[in-house]
Amino acid sequence: VERDTIKALIEETEALREGDLWYPLNFKWWQVWRSYVDFDSEEEAKAGGPRPDAIDNSSLCKEGFAGVLRFGLREDYDHVLVSEPVWNKLVAWYGG
């Protein structure tokens, strides 16, 4: 269910448009979640790994400045960008 919901939201919000909100998401957390929901499989979803803990983006933030991103972050290495609907759904399920 989670996998299909997020895939549908990604398809709906594929292109960045002016005014859209996109959120950085810890890349390691994203990889754990993808494994958990068997994201890359075309077959029926089955749990493939441990359920991830709450979303924790603290490693993306400048030390002592919650909400301020560190300099030098690399997309698809330190973080992925997700649309607001994807972010909201993941936070509703996992907190963070």
Side-chain angles (χ1 to χ4, degrees):
V1 171
E2 288 183 22
R3 177 185 79 168
D4 296 336
T5 300
I6 295 300
K7 280 189 174 194
L9 289 172
I10 288 172
E11 286 178 18
E12 290 173 15
T13 58
E14 215 168 348
L16 284 168
R17 290 185 303 263
E18 188 174 340
D20 287 350
L21 290 177
W22 289 70
Y23 293 81
L25 178 62
N26 182 296
F27 187 76
K28 289 179 184 173
W29 188 94
W30 179 243
Q31 292 301 95
V32 170
W33 179 82
R34 287 171 59 107
S35 174
Y36 172 65
V37 299
D38 199 21
F39 190 79
D40 296 316
S41 175
E42 296 300 322
E43 298 175 19
E44 188 173 326
K46 60 183 182 297
R51 186 178 195 280
D53 294 328
I55 297 169
D56 181 4
N57 278 345
S58 62
S59 66
L60 305 179
C61 296
K62 186 175 179 180
E63 194 169 326
F65 295 91
V68 177
L69 295 177
R70 288 189 294 115
F71 177 75
L73 292 174
R74 294 173 287 169
E75 190 173 359
D76 296 327
Y77 181 79
D78 297 303
H79 69 89
V80 294
L81 289 176
V82 296
S83 67
E84 185 173 31
V86 170
W87 173 260
N88 288 339
K89 189 58 75 176
L90 290 172
V91 168
W93 289 332
Y94 295 93

